[in-house]
Amino acid sequence: ELPKEGMLLSYVDGSYEDSIKKYAFGCVFLLPDGRIFTEFGNGNNEQSAQLRNVTGEMLGAMYAVKCAMVNGFSEIEIRYDYQGIEKWVTGDWKTELTQKYAAAMQSWGKKVRIHFTKVPAHSNVKFNELADKLAKTGLLEGNGVPMARPFEEMREYFE
C-alpha cells in the first residue's frame, strides 16, 4: 500500500558478515506517487562492528530519516524487524553504543515526524524481504554509507 501524501514509507534492515568484519543496511522507499527506490551501504568501524547487524539496522533507519528530510517529507514510517530500532529512540532500551543513534533520531524527530512499525522477520513481507536482500548486497557491493540525496538519484525498483 502507498503512504498518504507528505509521508514517506521505508522498510529498513541490517546485515553483518564476520569474515570481513562489515555491517550493512538496505532501505526500500515507497513514495505516495507509487514510485519505489532502493539503497544500501556498509561500514567497518571496529567499535560499531561489535554490534554486528544491529549497526546496519540503525544505519538504515538513520539513512531513511535523512532521506525523508532531504526530499522534503514531513513524516516517515519506518518498518523494521529488529525492535531496538524503535526501543532505543523511545528510551525503552538503553545502552552505551546506541546513544548516538537515539540522540540523532530524537533530534531529527523534531524536523520530521517518525512513526515505527514492527514487521515479522523472514515471513514473506515483500518489501522487508527486499530490504534484507539489499543489506546482504551492501556487505559486498556497498561503498560506505551513501549521502542522503534526492530519490531520483537512487535505483528505482520496478515490480
Side-chain angles (χ1 to χ4, degrees):
E1 87 283 14
L2 295 176
K4 66 183 183 186
E5 199 57 46
M7 179 181 263
L8 179 63
L9 174 57
S10 182
Y11 286 81
V12 303
D13 210 348
S15 191
Y16 178 78
E17 178 51 56
D18 199 48
S19 65
I20 55 174
K21 302 280 189 257
K22 276 192 177 174
Y23 46 84
F25 72 88
C27 290
V28 180
F29 298 102
L30 286 79
L31 279 60
D33 65 11
R35 292 180 300 159
I36 302 168
F37 293 92
T38 62
E39 189 55 274
F40 57 76
N42 68 13
N44 60 358
N45 174 286
E46 198 175 323
Q47 187 183 14
S48 299
Q50 292 171 16
L51 292 176
R52 305 174 65 93
N53 64 304
V54 172
T55 298
E57 305 266 0
M58 291 187 294
L59 278 177
M62 292 168 73
Y63 187 78
V65 172
K66 286 199 277 189
C67 286
M69 292 188 295
V70 163
N71 285 279
F73 285 90
S74 58
E75 288 187 71
I76 181 172
E77 179 183 345
I78 297 175
R79 294 195 179 166
Y80 62 89
D81 61 19
Y82 177 74
Q83 57 184 10
I85 290 306
E86 179 175 3
K87 301 293 186 190
W88 289 313
V89 176
T90 60
D92 291 346
W93 289 6
K94 291 185 181 4
T95 172
E96 288 293 311
L97 287 170
T98 60
Q99 283 178 345
K100 287 180 184 170
Y101 165 74
M105 294 291 275
Q106 289 163 359
S107 169
W108 298 337
K110 294 174 178 135
K111 298 179 182 114
V112 57
R113 286 212 358 246
I114 304 171
H115 308 274
F116 294 98
T117 305
K118 171 101 171 70
V119 295
H122 311 294
S123 57
N124 295 321
V125 176
K126 179 180 178 177
F127 291 116
N128 192 58
E129 296 296 328
L130 179 57
D132 180 66
K133 187 176 162 199
L134 287 163
K136 287 177 174 45
T137 300
L139 284 170
L140 299 175
E141 295 179 26
N143 185 19
V145 177
M147 291 291 295
R149 61 196 189 280
F151 290 118
E152 290 71 21
E153 296 175 18
M154 294 182 195
R155 291 177 222 49
E156 191 163 359
Y157 173 82
F158 297 96
E159 299 186 62

